[in-house]
């Protein structure tokens, strides 16, 4: 009993395979591809500015609250005044959370762009 001859299959161009135009537009940096990339960059910039403003507002609110409510400035936590505790310890979770949100949203934007290009 002889076994059938093995045939090596190599990835090759299929005849009649459709070319994905959006991917070609981006790769060849045509006007359409350039507009798509500018849209992605603009989306990422808007996201970065929005989150930077949010973080700045949250961090600038701490001294403002301490100024508006002077009684809070006199409160001590473990011998350290409250404004120093807030600025020294609670700032880091705000910045880390802002960074985490930025990374997740930026990756989502890039995935949506990649899905748009691949369609």
């Amino acid at each position: 009993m002889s076994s059938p001859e093995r045939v090596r299959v190599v990835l090759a161009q299929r005849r009649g395979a459709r070319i994905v135009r959006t991917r070609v537009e981006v790769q060849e940096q045509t006007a359409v591809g350039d507009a798509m990339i500018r849209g992605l960059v603009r989306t990422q910039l808007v996201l970065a500015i929005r989150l930077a403003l949010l973080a700045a507002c949250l961090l600038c609110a701490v001294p403002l609250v301490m100024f508006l409510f002077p009684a809070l400035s006199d409160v001590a936590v473990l011998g350290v005044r409250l404004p120093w505790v807030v600025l020294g310890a609670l700032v880091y979770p705000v910045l880390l959370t802002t960074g985490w949100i930025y990374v997740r949203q930026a990756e989502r934007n890039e995935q949506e762009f990649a899905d748009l290009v691949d369609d």
Side-chain angles (χ1 to χ4, degrees):
M1 197 161 104
S2 67
S3 62
E5 184 178 323
R6 294 180 121 195
V7 176
R8 182 174 179 186
V9 178
V10 179
L11 292 177
Q13 290 283 11
R14 294 185 319 178
R15 290 194 177 127
R18 72 179 182 95
I19 298 173
V20 179
R21 286 301 311 162
T22 53
R23 180 178 290 172
V24 171
E25 297 282 348
V26 172
Q27 288 175 347
E28 293 180 357
Q29 297 178 350
T30 62
V32 174
D34 189 42
M36 292 174 68
I37 291 173
R38 274 194 320 243
L40 173 65
V41 170
R42 188 178 315 114
T43 302
Q44 299 291 51
L45 179 63
V46 168
L47 174 65
I49 290 172
R50 217 174 350 152
L51 287 175
L53 287 175
L54 176 67
C57 289
L58 288 174
L59 296 177
C60 290
V62 173
L64 183 63
V65 168
M66 296 302 166
F67 177 75
L68 293 175
F69 302 102
L72 288 176
S73 297
D74 297 332
V75 174
V77 177
L78 300 172
V80 180
R81 290 181 32 179
L82 185 62
W84 289 108
V85 171
V86 170
L87 289 174
L90 297 180
V91 167
Y92 295 107
V94 169
L95 293 177
L96 285 171
T97 304
T98 304
W100 180 74
I101 291 170
Y102 175 77
V103 168
R104 296 229 7 206
Q105 295 295 318
E107 287 176 348
R108 185 190 59 143
N109 291 340
E110 290 174 1
Q111 185 60 47
E112 288 175 359
F113 178 77
D115 291 344
L116 176 68
V117 169
D118 286 340
D119 284 345

